[in-house]
């Protein structure tokens, strides 16, 4: 009963009584809410991976903490000029954290959050001690790549380097070019980028005759386990990193991969419906429709299309997702656009639709994208705010809160709201390229001649 009151009744009451934001939200509002949530993390979860906002407790991803929330939050603190908090995280991670832990970690997840976050910390501090720690973490992660195909294993033990999990989805197989490239640049050692690139080239060489990749692959046999092709959760950042790594480093091997991939995607995936154009699932060999399901991760695609110079398609894409947001006042994790039904109704405070609103606003200058973001923010305040922070939602139909504050809320969701509302114009898509966890890297920090040498690009 106590648990029921704690996790069900209190959040409902809070949602009803919380000061519903009626005025137009500003970047300052976002910053204040970020600080409020960060203070809650400091109070109730310091030293742990995540805050549980309803029970005011903490949890860790593994049997020991990897301090994922602070590492993920750091770059947003720098973007928001929260220097006092940033300094505290920096000192803590640098002086009190060791990655010599006998735990199996998810290679993909810690690459985008921990390695990406640490690299960004080094970018902002230029502290050699931070670089030492970043390299140490990168070296431990690199052990995951010792498969016959070069595609990393799902799990790697940070202490022993032991690996397990040969079945990986395409995002888990091929989303390392960006972080490993930056690590190669900072350490002047091409081995990181070369390992990541080997995995990507393997995937590309396994593409179908119509230039599509599948959903899951076995990294020991090199065979596709699942031949569904799509752009959402499970594949998403594979495409994202081909384009973004090209934008950051101009590796000539990547551009043709993007160019051929986008032609195939534009040809086979769009599905024209009464509620908009959705990018459904197709068979990678035939291009025939296999499913009409999408994931809310798909919503990042409009932003990526902007970076590729295709704002027209991006606008159409965003319209469909905006319609879905309005249907529930939040978005469901998985949705069947033909049936009009969610089949996984959770909303984890994910950033993708906000990220795309930011890119579209930047590249088109149209105020409708700012208005979209303001609406999303007001809905998040209405349904996800708790007395100390924010919570993910178990079901977008009932708005029941879930007692979780994912680390990407600090890294991505609040950063994109802040940038969209005009909080820091210096951090923009012309000057920075963001990793998939929204850690921003300044293009001018990577000199073309040095890139070639340090990453081993021919
Ligand atoms: C983030 O962890 C990353 O952006 C990842 O690539 C997919 N989306 C989640 C948040 O929704």
């Amino acid at each position: 009963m106590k648990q029921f009151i704690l996790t069900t009744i209190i959040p409902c009451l809070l949602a009803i009584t919380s000061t519903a934001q009626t005025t137009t939200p500003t970047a300052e509002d976002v910053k204040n809410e970020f600080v409020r949530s960060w203070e809650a993390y400091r109070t109730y979860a310091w030293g742990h991976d995540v805050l549980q906002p309803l029970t005011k407790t903490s949890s860790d991803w593994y049997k020991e903490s990897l301090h994922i929330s602070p590492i993920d939050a750091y770059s947003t603190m720098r973007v928001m000029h929260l220097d006092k908090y940033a300094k505290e995280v920096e000192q803590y991670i640098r002086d009190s954290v060791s990655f010599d832990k006998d735990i199996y970690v998810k290679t993909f997840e810690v690459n985008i959050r921990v390695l990406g976050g640490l690299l960004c910390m080094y970018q902002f501090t230029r502290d050699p001690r931070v670089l030492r720690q970043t390299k140490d973490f990168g070296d431990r992660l690199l052990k995951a790549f010792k498969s016959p195909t070069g595609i990393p294993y799902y799990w790697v033990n940070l202490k022993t380097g032991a690996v397990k999990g040969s079945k990986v989805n395409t995002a888990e197989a091929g989303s390392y070019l960006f972080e490993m490239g930056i690590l190669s640049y900072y350490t002047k050692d091409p081995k990181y980028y070369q390992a990541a690139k080997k995995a990507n080239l393997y995937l590309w060489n396994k593409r179908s005759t119509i230039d599509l990749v599948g959903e899951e692959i076995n990294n020991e046999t090199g065979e596709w386990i699942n031949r569904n092709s799509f752009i959402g959760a499970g594949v998403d950042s594979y495409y994202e990193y081909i384009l973004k790594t090209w934008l950051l480093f101009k590796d000539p091997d990547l551009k043709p991969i993007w160019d051929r991939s986008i032609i195939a995607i534009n040809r086979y995936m769009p599905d024209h419906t009464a509620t908009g154009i959705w990018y459904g699932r197709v068979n990678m060999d035939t291009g025939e429709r296999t499913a009409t399901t999408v994931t809310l991760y798909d919503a990042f695609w409009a932003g990526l299309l902007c970076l590729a110079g295709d704002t027209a398609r991006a606008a159409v894409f965003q319209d469909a997702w905006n319609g879905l947001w309005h249907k529930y006042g939040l978005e469901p994790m998985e949705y069947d656009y033909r049936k009009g039904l969610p089949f996984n109704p959770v909303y984890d405070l994910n950033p993708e639709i906000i990220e795309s609103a930011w890119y579209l606003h930047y590249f088109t200058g149209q105020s409708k994208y700012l208005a979209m973001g303001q609406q999303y923010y007001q809905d998040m305040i209405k349904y996800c705010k708790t007395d100390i922070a924010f919570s993910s939602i178990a079901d977008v139909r009932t708005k029941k809160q879930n007692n979780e504050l994912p680390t990407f809320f600090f890294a991505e969701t609040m950063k994109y709201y802040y940038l969209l509302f005009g909080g820091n114009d210096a951090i923009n898509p012309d000057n920075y390229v963001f990793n998939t966890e929204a850690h921003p890297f300044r293009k001018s920090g990577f000199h073309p001649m040095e890139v070639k040498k340090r990453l081993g690009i021919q």
Side-chain angles (χ1 to χ4, degrees), residues 211-232:
D211 287 340
L212 292 176
V213 291
E215 178 180 357
E216 271 178 319
I217 195 161
N218 182 310
N219 77 344
E220 291 183 337
T221 65
E223 294 307 316
W224 291 109
I225 300 166
N226 183 325
R227 303 184 80 85
N228 263 330
S229 198
F230 53 95
I231 54 154

Side-chain angles (χ1 to χ4, degrees), residues 101-130:
K101 295 176 190 290
D102 191 6
I103 50 175
Y104 281 90
V105 300
K106 292 182 184 175
T107 311
F108 167 78
E109 293 293 350
V110 302
N111 174 62
I112 65 172
R113 301 181 202 223
V114 179
L115 185 59
L118 291 171
L119 287 163
C120 210
M121 192 181 286
Y122 176 66
Q123 172 189 239
F124 282 115
T125 61
R126 295 287 156 176
D127 181 337
R129 292 167 297 178
V130 173

Side-chain angles (χ1 to χ4, degrees), residues 72 108-109 112-113 236-237 240 296-297 333 348-352 355 408 412 435-438:
D72 241 1
F108 167 78
E109 293 293 350
I112 65 172
R113 301 181 202 223
D236 49 353
S237 46
E240 181 179 1
L296 58 73
Y297 289 14
M333 183 59 75
D348 284 337
L349 293 160
N350 307 79
E352 288 79 1
E355 171 183 354
F408 54 71
E412 301 191 69
N435 90 333
T436 190
E437 193 73 359

Side-chain angles (χ1 to χ4, degrees), residues 11 14 33 36 53-54 381 384-391 401:
L14 281 168
E33 287 297 344
R36 196 178 70 89
L54 300 186
I381 294 282
C384 308
K385 188 170 174 175
T386 76
D387 60 337
I388 59 164
F390 288 84
S391 171
Q401 294 184 337

Side-chain angles (χ1 to χ4, degrees), residues 17 24 74 91 106 150 212 242 245 263 326 336 431:
T17 55
T24 306
Y74 178 83
Q91 276 168 0
K106 292 182 184 175
L212 292 176
I242 290 166
T245 310
I263 289 171
H326 281 275
D336 188 319
N431 297 336

